[in-house]
Amino acid sequence: MQESLLQQGLDITLFGMGIVFTFLLTLIICTTLMSRFIGRFLPEAAPAPASPSGQSTPAGTGDARLKKIIEAAIEQHRKNRR
């Protein structure tokens, strides 16, 4: 009787592990296929560069203003720290 219980336990264990392995393998295959499908038929659009204020401006025009704002903030922080 003991051998029968051990054999049944081993059978159930192997069956369960086989089910889990099959499920995970199927999940990996489906995920890979979906990723390729989406990459091929629904390509991601390149994001447009935006300025810090949220408005699109020509490159370089907002940089000088932003640099002055950052410098003023650093200066104010240093004055408050003393």
Side-chain angles (χ1 to χ4, degrees), residues 7-21:
Q7 184 63 36
Q8 288 177 353
L10 184 61
D11 289 343
I12 291 172
T13 300
L14 292 176
F15 180 71
M17 289 173 63
I19 296 268
V20 170
F21 179 77

Side-chain angles (χ1 to χ4, degrees), residues 14-76:
L14 292 176
F15 180 71
M17 289 173 63
I19 296 268
V20 170
F21 179 77
T22 304
F23 172 75
L24 292 176
L25 187 64
T26 305
L27 184 67
I28 290 170
I29 291 170
C30 289
T31 303
T32 304
L33 291 175
M34 286 190 306
S35 176
R36 288 183 183 171
F37 175 79
I38 289 174
R40 178 176 290 174
F41 295 110
L42 303 170
E44 186 174 330
S51 68
S53 64
Q55 302 170 352
S56 60
T57 58
T61 58
D63 290 341
R65 181 171 178 255
L66 179 62
K67 184 177 178 182
K68 289 180 184 179
I69 291 171
I70 291 173
E71 287 174 353
I74 291 172
E75 186 65 31
Q76 183 179 5

